[in-house]
Amino acid sequence: MRSGQERVEEKRSVGTVNARIARRFGAALLAAATFSVIGAAQALAATTHSTGSLPDGGTWISDVPSDWNGTLLLYSHGYGTLSPQDAPDPGTEAALLADGYALAGSSYDPNGSLWALGSAVRDQFQTLAAVKKNVLPHRPHQVLAFGTSMGGLISALEDQQSDGRLDGALTTCGLVAGGIQLNNYQLDGEYAIAKLLAAGQSIKLVHFSSQADGAATAVQLNAAAASAQGTPTGRARLALAMALMNVAAWAPNATMPGVYDYAGQEQQQYDMEFVSNPVMIFVETGRQQIEQAAGGNGGWDAGVDFAELLKDSSYSAEVRALYHEAGISLRQDLRTLTRGANIRADVKAINWLKQTSVPTGRLQVPELDLHTISDQLVPVQQENYYGHLVRRAGDKALLRQAYVSRQEHCAFTSGELVAGVQALQHRVQTGNWDSVAGPDQLEAAANGLGLPGGAAFVPFWPEPLSGDNGPFNPFTEGIRTRW
């Protein structure tokens, strides 16, 4: 029986669906996919949409097709909104509903930070309970977590806290290395820009009082980077900073540079980070929101050996080549960074992040991770870190990771996402991954759906994540462990 808080309504019309898909994929793609779009629209027209409230003031939504296949997808949205979502985009929503999947997702606590990890896992499981009790016509055969970006981290956390409530988890472009690693590698690169490229300027890197405070720092860092890009010395030092931040070397609308094209790699890193889709404003205002949620600064560089960080970076050869070309001393700059690093984390913030925002790698249910290989916001190297974490926890048999040869954050097609859902469901139903999570089979499955955009799954092995500054110790804060 439905509660009085819920509103049940008939879903969108065919015309509304066509308009939404056109905005997402463009008129040409829509025309090429006429038959699949009509089928999806018909499914949406027979879908029941429900809403409800959570104890912390959050809200949830669900969409259940009339021909429900018995699987519920519990969707976790990414950073930037506190409105409920139950799918990553309209095209994927239409495709999943057409395949018979029920969808549900929460807003998280709307009264707090956009870094909503303090409430997200709880809110999602409360949403699951409400939808199972009040919306679904019968108990689901499977419940699969499905998350995007920050929501990918939430799905990974839901996996390790499943306790019988989930059957599997799909993370896409997920922040699976967790909030502390995110803070550290971003801080390492920002510190390098401030120290080596903006000497004499006062640039605040932590303890922001507001998002405007963080944005002001982003403006300073962007200006320093733009100035540096004009000289060989500046480009070499900027390459070092971008290596510490794990900035991808394949920019949008560009051909991937050759393995020895170090100048091309640096140029595309610069374009990726500062030109094509500038991210510093997002990063610095995001740091303020993490600090607000955690109650202080959750990253550090004090005690970090920057020569060791660079040694483990996949961009080490590029940095060394550009320093040699510029005729400046890399060893001296690394010593300068190591000697000057003095930013310490707040114990309270680290403890909060450990409790809410850091995966343990101890999986309870099968998990499939999807990532684009050139991601400007959540570097693909996070998957390397997470894979090691899961293996150390003894659960590597539960995890599969798959990669899409495309630039930018969360730039998946609907076919790729639906193929990921289907591969995970195969593992849940059969107890075996078989080859369904391999690039060839995912590619064939995605292309066989006939959805706009095609697919670009490839074999890929991400490099180590720079910024693994070791386990937090309030007295040393820089003792690194190697995998």
Side-chain angles (χ1 to χ4, degrees), residues 20-80:
R20 292 175 64 188
I21 295 177
R23 286 194 296 270
R24 173 66 177 86
F25 295 110
L29 288 176
L30 177 61
T34 299
F35 294 107
S36 62
V37 169
I38 290 174
Q42 290 170 342
L44 282 174
T47 294
T48 299
H49 179 73
S50 304
T51 66
S53 300
L54 298 168
D56 61 12
T59 55
W60 57 262
I61 61 173
S62 71
D63 291 286
V64 182
S66 58
D67 57 348
W68 179 41
N69 64 18
T71 297
L72 172 66
L73 301 182
L74 183 64
Y75 180 72
S76 299
H77 68 70
Y79 177 90

Side-chain angles (χ1 to χ4, degrees), residues 98-176:
D99 277 353
Y101 292 99
L103 313 175
S106 71
S107 64
Y108 320 138
D109 182 355
N111 304 304
S113 164
L114 290 172
W115 185 261
L117 272 295
S119 71
V121 173
R122 178 193 69 225
D123 288 338
Q124 286 291 90
F125 281 134
Q126 288 179 351
T127 293
L128 173 60
V131 171
K132 288 168 67 175
K133 179 180 179 180
N134 300 310
V135 175
L136 297 178
H138 57 77
R139 186 176 184 86
H141 303 314
Q142 293 102 26
V143 178
L144 307 179
F146 176 14
T148 299
S149 191
M150 184 185 78
L153 170 58
I154 294 166
S155 293
L157 296 172
E158 289 170 345
D159 186 328
Q160 69 188 40
Q161 299 176 42
S162 172
D163 298 331
R165 292 173 288 192
L166 298 177
D167 298 286
L170 175 66
T171 83
T172 65
C173 49
L175 269 160
V176 289

Side-chain angles (χ1 to χ4, degrees), residues 266-424:
E266 190 278 338
Q267 180 65 57
Q268 293 205 35
Q269 286 177 299
Y270 176 77
D271 291 343
M272 174 67 90
E273 191 76 2
F274 299 101
V275 179
S276 300
N277 189 4
V279 301
M280 274 299 173
I281 293 287
F282 185 90
V283 167
E284 299 306 319
T285 57
R287 181 180 295 278
Q288 184 274 332
Q289 289 290 289
I290 297 175
E291 289 182 345
Q292 177 182 319
N297 170 41
W300 71 90
D301 63 14
V304 171
D305 185 333
F306 281 82
E308 284 294 310
L309 287 187
L310 181 63
K311 183 188 299 183
D312 293 341
S313 171
S314 61
Y315 304 117
S316 177
E318 171 202 331
V319 173
R320 295 179 190 283
L322 294 180
Y323 265 80
H324 178 75
E325 180 182 326
I328 57 175
S329 172
L330 175 59
R331 180 178 298 180
Q332 183 59 48
D333 276 358
L334 291 170
R335 286 176 177 171
T336 296
L337 292 176
T338 299
R339 285 198 304 264
N342 60 7
I343 297 174
R344 295 185 175 274
D346 299 320
V347 175
K348 176 184 176 182
I350 292 294
N351 288 339
W352 187 88
L353 288 166
K354 284 181 177 178
Q355 292 168 9
T356 65
S357 310
V358 175
T360 64
R362 299 182 183 92
L363 306 183
Q364 294 189 26
V365 296
E367 180 175 317
L368 175 61
D369 291 6
L370 305 183
H371 221 113
T372 54
I373 66 172
S374 184
D375 186 330
Q376 82 279 23
L377 291 182
V378 182
V380 70
Q381 291 94 328
Q382 288 213 17
E383 297 291 347
N384 179 295
Y385 180 89
Y386 186 62
H388 280 292
L389 195 68
V390 172
R391 285 193 287 275
R392 283 166 61 93
D395 290 327
K396 67 178 183 179
L398 290 173
L399 178 67
R400 291 293 184 273
Q401 294 165 297
Y403 302 96
V404 169
S405 183
R406 195 173 294 119
Q407 308 102 312
E408 297 196 281
H409 183 53
C410 302
F412 301 107
T413 67
S414 294
E416 290 162 349
L417 295 174
V418 174
V421 170
Q422 293 176 345
L424 176 63

